[in-house]
Amino acid sequence: MVNEPLAITGLGCISALGPDVPGTVQNLLIGHGPMPRPTDRIPTNHPVPFPVFEVTDAWLQARELEANQGRCASFALAAAGEALTMAGFGVDSKMRIGLALGTVIGAALDDEDFYSRFRGAAASDMSPLRQFFSSPDVSPLRRFFANMPVTRVAKAFKLAGPLMTVTTACTSGTLAIGQAAAWLRSGRCEAALAGGAEKLSRLGYTGFASLMIADSARCRPFDRTRLGLNLGEGAGFIVLEREESARRRGARILGWLLGDGNACDAYHLSRPDPNGRGLRMAVQDALKRSSAVPTDLAFINAHGTGTEDNDLAEARVFAEYLTGVPFFSSKGLTGHTLGAAGGIEAVFTVLCLSKGQIPPSIGFSTMDPACGVAPVTSVTSIKGNLAMSTSVAYGGNNAALVFARGEAV
Amino acid sequence: MSMEMSILGTGVAGAFGCGWPDLVTAVQAEGSCSKIISVPNVVPEGSLSAFEVDPSPIKQRLKPAHLRRADRFSRLVTLGAILALEDGGLEQFSRERIGIVMATGYGANATSFQFVDSILDFGDVGASPILFSGSGHSGGVSVATILLGINGPALSICQPELAFHTGLATANQWLDEGRVDLVLLVTVEEFCPMLFYGFHKMFGSSPVIQPFEWAKQTAAPGEGVTCLALSRPGLQQGKEIARVINQGLGKPVDEAGLLVLGADGMACTGMLYEQLAGGSPVFAPAAAYGSMPTGIAFALAAALGLARKGGSPHPAKVLRFESGVFQPGGEFRLVECGSSGQAAWSDVRVGLELG
């Protein structure tokens, strides 16, 4: 079944690479970005401090976002606001706008201090009455629910359409875009904001370190010497609507979403299928629904985390099925932003299509013979009007999106 | 888009037991399936009334080696999916043509906090990678796809309101777009000490859920799993138990005959349900399974179970009810509300050839 192409009329993005789309695009296109570094935000007694890609606080302060609404929600508000403004939607829009948001840490109560105090009170031998009055107040729980990114964004922009929080790990942002597209095609809303948001968290940091898939230097996606990922944070959203709606409103069509695919490896909880079975199915489905074939693709914005297993599985699919299509990973510029990755990389894909070039894959220098393919290593002009963004999740879910070039951004 | 979906199988496990017959037995009986759960040092009394599920029936269906790394949350998700496939006689369904949607309000918090325990107990370098693997809210659906060999699409939705109906809409879209021929829509909630603590501090815990005392706080926390096996009408495999004939977001504007409500003793939604109910007959069986964000899925399973078994629910679980309402060909409206005022609904017609 071929999807109806959907117009992309707004883009919003914040990451270590830049505070918004104008602040990001030039650095993205030439592959110039900050180095990851350890952060004071994540105190740790790990002997090896793993570097991360952190968003500069000043970028949030410049937007006058409320301090007590949570960092993940703040990123979501910043990027969502930019996308809606670019699309020409004000807070008082009469259109029914939905929101599909992918996140991992944003849906988890990661207040370690609160939990530690709860545990301390629970383990004490005080009398129940003394315990009750000394045990921690539950306002962190109330704040958690109030600050869930979907809740904050929907409230701030008075979104009246369906709301969804997708928590399928690293494919969350990509799947959120697919879900929003389905809403539009089925008439559940008239426009949709879709993408993801994520913040750096000590729990996520410690967790990925425990899996021994974090790199103590800048990550090297697809490189022979790659050792793992760097975590990142931020948010990325696109605004989708049907062509008829965009034309009627006189909105600029910055790009098109043609198709999406979603499939599972059913292989292992912490390793992808080495042959990329699920990714291949997702890619094939996305292309089929776009009425496209691999040779139509100008480039692939790969998931490319820098972990041994992910990059190998992805490379095999590129080598065997998407043969010859240039690809790059942007995670050497932003880190792995988990639930936000699909949203941020969707924005990057649209930008690259619009500008007609893709950046070098930062962190790569030497091809891995096991991968058999290498990403681009210099700024590359692209041929063609279609591009794909791929995502591979922890636990074996895989997703792919196909975009087409629109008007210049 | 076609709105109609066939329900070919239901899988449920909760405080009432395992399988829809156990749920129906609980719905037709007097009283509540809650029990007093000992939670020393978490609540002042040292215990509270709650609805606890036993996931051990999964062990009769999968080998211990396969379950070795599956945490309790993942076992619940997988159990629900297996029960629905069994109920529908769909065990041999092509795995590439099955998709799975998991909807939860609380998420995998038990495993998440166990991961934090490993950090607090053993330091950053002693954190458990196995617990981290299960701590994201996607772990449950990932494990289910691995244990059941499902290669189709998967989605995990974690939100405190309308998770069930949001997942139901996704299932409809996947079927409509031909991505799969069968969708397993799983809802799951799991206890953890933090949940008991927060629930007790914010809401207390009542020994008896009284959903029709609308503005009164009588909730008690529940956990468990449901699964609906959904397809397009006319699928060759399976027999239709019921059909979802329409869905909507927001409060329904037209009247329906019988309402099946997610009312579960929470005062913040009770008043919304009271307004929606108006003078209609209402079925709200939360005393069988407890108060939880996705409890509406249990209410649906209970309604379908009553239609399959025959008989009426216990009078305490209904309001303005006429006997024999749940029967082949009958229709009802399922309504779910959130404390923010959001609502969603679906109209369901019971299958004609139930046996």
Side-chain angles (χ1 to χ4, degrees), chain B residues 167-181:
Chain B
L168 190 67
T170 294
N172 205 347
Q173 286 153 3
W174 284 358
L175 291 167
D176 197 58
E177 294 175 353
R179 294 179 188 267
V180 289
D181 299 313

Side-chain angles (χ1 to χ4, degrees), chain A residues 1 44-45 107 115 119 122 128 131-132 136 164-165 167-168 179 183 185 202 260 262 264-265 277 289 394, chain B residues 41 44 96 117 119 121 124 133 137-138 145-146 151-152 154 156-159 166 170 173 177 179 194 197:
Chain A
M1 184 179 193
T44 177
N45 52 33
Y115 182 70
R119 265 194 15 152
Q131 230 170 53
F132 180 71
M164 177 188 280
T165 301
T167 55
T168 322
Q179 286 297 300
W183 288 343
R185 290 191 296 265
R202 213 180 90 78
D260 64 287
N262 172 357
C264 293
D265 290 341
R277 179 184 182 183
R289 291 172 187 280
Y394 199 74
Chain B
N41 302 329
E96 287 196 357
D117 285 336
I119 299 174
D121 291 338
D124 293 3
S133 297
H137 300 323
S138 62
T145 63
I146 293 166
N151 291 119
S156 172
I157 299 167
C158 180
Q159 55 197 56
T166 303
T170 294
Q173 286 153 3
E177 294 175 353
R179 294 179 188 267
M194 174 61 76
Y197 178 74

Side-chain angles (χ1 to χ4, degrees), chain B:
Chain B
M1 181 186 76
S2 167
M3 288 290 184
E4 299 202 348
M5 286 185 285
S6 291
I7 301 173
L8 302 182
T10 62
V12 289
F16 49 85
C18 180
W20 66 264
D22 283 358
L23 176 58
V24 173
T25 299
V27 169
Q28 292 182 319
E30 186 177 5
S32 165
C33 295
S34 63
K35 64 181 189 184
I36 301 300
I37 293 185
S38 172
V39 280
N41 302 329
V42 175
V43 301
E45 299 83 1
S47 62
L48 81 171
S49 181
F51 294 73
E52 187 177 38
V53 66
D54 172 15
S56 67
I58 188 75
K59 295 180 187 172
Q60 295 149 17
R61 290 160 168 89
L62 291 174
K63 294 177 184 170
H66 294 157
L67 293 171
R68 190 167 53 94
R69 290 185 177 222
D71 61 7
R72 190 168 179 270
F73 187 84
S74 301
R75 291 180 185 211
L76 283 170
V77 173
T78 307
L79 174 62
I82 290 176
L83 290 171
L85 289 170
E86 287 177 350
D87 187 45
L90 301 163
E91 295 95 320
Q92 303 307 314
F93 208 96
S94 167
R95 293 310 198 247
E96 287 196 357
R97 299 300 299 166
I98 298 178
I100 180 165
V101 179
M102 186 194 80
T104 177
Y106 298 142
N109 282 317
T111 307
S112 299
F113 288 125
Q114 286 166 25
F115 171 67
V116 183
D117 285 336
S118 74
I119 299 174
L120 295 173
D121 291 338
F122 304 113
D124 293 3
V125 293
S128 166
I130 292 177
L131 288 172
F132 181 67
S133 297
S135 67
H137 300 323
S138 62
V141 76
S142 295
V143 168
T145 63
I146 293 166
L147 293 178
L148 300 178
I150 293 173
N151 291 119
L155 190 76
S156 172
I157 299 167
C158 180
Q159 55 197 56
E161 299 189 351
L162 307 189
F164 168 75
H165 271 96
T166 303
L168 190 67
T170 294
N172 205 347
Q173 286 153 3
W174 284 358
L175 291 167
D176 197 58
E177 294 175 353
R179 294 179 188 267
V180 289
D181 299 313
L182 188 74
V183 179
L184 299 174
L185 173 58
V186 179
T187 69
V188 59
E189 307 294 357
E190 187 190 22
F191 289 152
C192 66
M194 174 61 76
L195 187 152
F196 286 138
Y197 178 74
F199 198 104
H200 186 83
K201 276 260 192 180
M202 289 192 275
F203 308 119
S205 177
S206 171
V208 179
I209 294 178
Q210 299 172 276
F212 306 124
E213 297 290 330
W214 305 101
K216 191 173 167 190
Q217 182 67 33
T218 63
E223 61 170 8
V225 63
T226 75
C227 181
L228 303 176
L230 298 161
S231 77
R232 275 286 168 254
L235 188 74
Q236 295 281 333
Q237 298 180 56
K239 190 170 87 170
E240 183 176 276
I241 297 168
R243 188 177 294 194
V244 178
I245 56 177
N246 206 358
Q247 285 176 254
L249 185 65
K251 295 171 193 165
V253 295
D254 59 335
E255 285 198 10
L258 166 65
L259 297 175
V260 175
L261 300 183
D264 59 0
M266 293 291 285
C268 53
T269 51
M271 291 180 283
L272 298 169
Y273 282 120
E274 184 181 23
Q275 285 168 16
L276 283 167
S280 298
V282 175
F283 174 55
Y289 50 83
S291 313
M292 61 183 101
T294 50
I296 187 68
F298 281 105
L300 170 60
L304 298 181
L306 282 167
R308 294 166 83 174
K309 182 182 171 186
S312 295
H314 188 275
K317 297 175 175 80
V318 294
L319 199 62
R320 300 182 285 266
F321 198 79
E322 294 165 12
S323 62
V325 170
F326 290 118
Q327 59 190 357
E331 293 184 12
F332 57 85
R333 175 167 288 168
L334 193 71
V335 185
E336 178 181 12
C337 290
S339 59
S340 67
Q342 289 188 85
W345 56 272
S346 44
D347 290 332
V348 180
R349 180 184 304 133
V350 178
L352 291 172
E353 296 176 39
L354 298 180

Side-chain angles (χ1 to χ4, degrees), chain A residues 256 258-259 279-280 282-288 290-302 317-318 321-327 349 353 358 376 380-390 400-405:
Chain A
W256 300 89
L258 300 186
L279 179 61
R280 185 180 176 122
V283 163
Q284 287 175 326
D285 201 32
L287 286 172
K288 184 178 75 176
S290 307
S291 285
V293 295
T295 49
D296 291 330
L297 296 174
F299 68 89
I300 308 160
N301 184 343
V317 173
F318 295 169
Y321 185 64
L322 299 173
T323 316
V325 180
F327 68 95
T349 304
L353 266 175
I358 55 176
V376 299
T380 303
S381 294
I382 58 171
K383 300 186 181 67
N385 296 316
L386 302 191
M388 175 175 280
S389 180
T390 53
L401 300 170
V402 176
F403 296 97
R405 192 196 308 257

Side-chain angles (χ1 to χ4, degrees), chain A residues 9-372:
Chain A
T9 53
L11 304 171
C13 183
I14 179 169
S15 72
L17 195 55
D20 50 28
V21 168
T24 295
V25 63
Q26 290 311 316
N27 286 339
L28 168 67
L29 293 175
I30 62 174
H32 175 74
M35 287 293 286
R37 54 187 92 246
T39 173
D40 294 338
R41 192 184 303 284
I42 302 182
T44 177
N45 52 33
H46 252 282
V48 178
F50 295 103
V52 298
F53 285 86
E54 187 177 8
V55 172
T56 305
D57 282 350
W59 294 347
L60 288 176
Q61 287 154 10
R63 286 176 149 111
E64 298 177 346
L65 294 164
E66 292 172 30
N68 64 347
Q69 65 196 353
R71 193 170 175 83
C72 190
S74 296
F75 291 145
L77 285 163
E82 181 181 22
L84 288 169
T85 299
M86 192 183 291
F89 287 121
V91 173
D92 56 353
S93 170
K94 300 289 186 292
M95 286 179 70
R96 196 170 158 80
I97 302 174
L99 170 62
L101 185 152
T103 191
V104 174
I105 305 296
L109 178 63
D110 72 331
D111 191 332
E112 197 175 333
D113 174 64
F114 171 66
Y115 182 70
S116 177
R117 287 185 288 120
F118 160 76
R119 265 194 15 152
S124 73
D125 58 1
M126 289 188 281
S127 73
L129 193 59
R130 282 188 66 201
Q131 230 170 53
F132 180 71
F133 286 108
S134 68
S135 51
D137 174 66
V138 290
S139 52
L141 293 177
R142 296 189 197 277
R143 257 198 318 275
F144 166 68
F145 285 110
N147 284 343
M148 289 193 79
V150 153
T151 304
R152 279 286 180 185
V153 173
K155 191 172 170 186
F157 300 107
K158 297 185 171 59
L159 303 179
L163 305 177
M164 177 188 280
T165 301
V166 178
T167 55
T168 322
C170 317
T171 52
S172 297
T174 309
L175 294 182
I177 292 172
Q179 286 297 300
W183 288 343
L184 289 167
R185 290 191 296 265
S186 62
R188 284 173 66 84
C189 54
E190 298 161 279
L193 181 64
E198 203 70 85
K199 67 168 187 181
L200 286 169
S201 156
R202 213 180 90 78
L203 299 185
Y205 177 98
T206 309
F208 280 100
S210 74
L211 291 168
M212 301 174 76
I213 55 172
D215 198 336
S216 57
R218 185 183 222 160
C219 62
R220 286 157 278 170
F222 301 104
D223 191 84
R224 184 174 58 85
T225 63
R226 65 191 185 277
L227 289 177
L229 56 82
N230 306 138
L231 288 173
E233 61 179 4
F237 288 96
I238 63 176
V239 173
L240 290 167
E241 54 191 302
R242 300 181 90 160
E243 181 179 4
E244 176 269 330
S245 167
R247 300 276 184 219
R248 188 181 65 245
R249 292 194 312 112
R252 288 178 62 219
I253 297 178
L254 309 172
W256 300 89
L257 176 67
L258 300 186
D260 64 287
N262 172 357
C264 293
D265 290 341
Y267 179 76
H268 195 279
L269 191 55
S270 57
R271 290 196 308 275
D273 181 319
N275 296 310
R277 179 184 182 183
L279 179 61
R280 185 180 176 122
M281 290 172 65
V283 163
Q284 287 175 326
D285 201 32
L287 286 172
K288 184 178 75 176
R289 291 172 187 280
S290 307
S291 285
V293 295
T295 49
D296 291 330
L297 296 174
F299 68 89
I300 308 160
N301 184 343
H303 190 60
T305 57
T307 60
E308 185 173 343
D309 293 330
N310 172 89
D311 293 2
L312 179 63
E314 236 187 329
R316 285 198 170 145
V317 173
F318 295 169
E320 293 166 12
Y321 185 64
L322 299 173
T323 316
V325 180
F327 68 95
F328 73 98
S329 168
S330 58
K331 290 189 171 68
L333 295 169
T334 62
H336 188 357
T337 55
L338 304 179
I344 290 173
E345 289 160 21
V347 172
F348 287 2
T349 304
V350 172
L351 288 173
C352 289
L353 266 175
S354 171
K355 301 298 184 186
Q357 69 185 61
I358 55 176
S361 195
I362 298 301
F364 174 86
S365 62
T366 309
M367 189 175 88
D368 178 357
C371 289

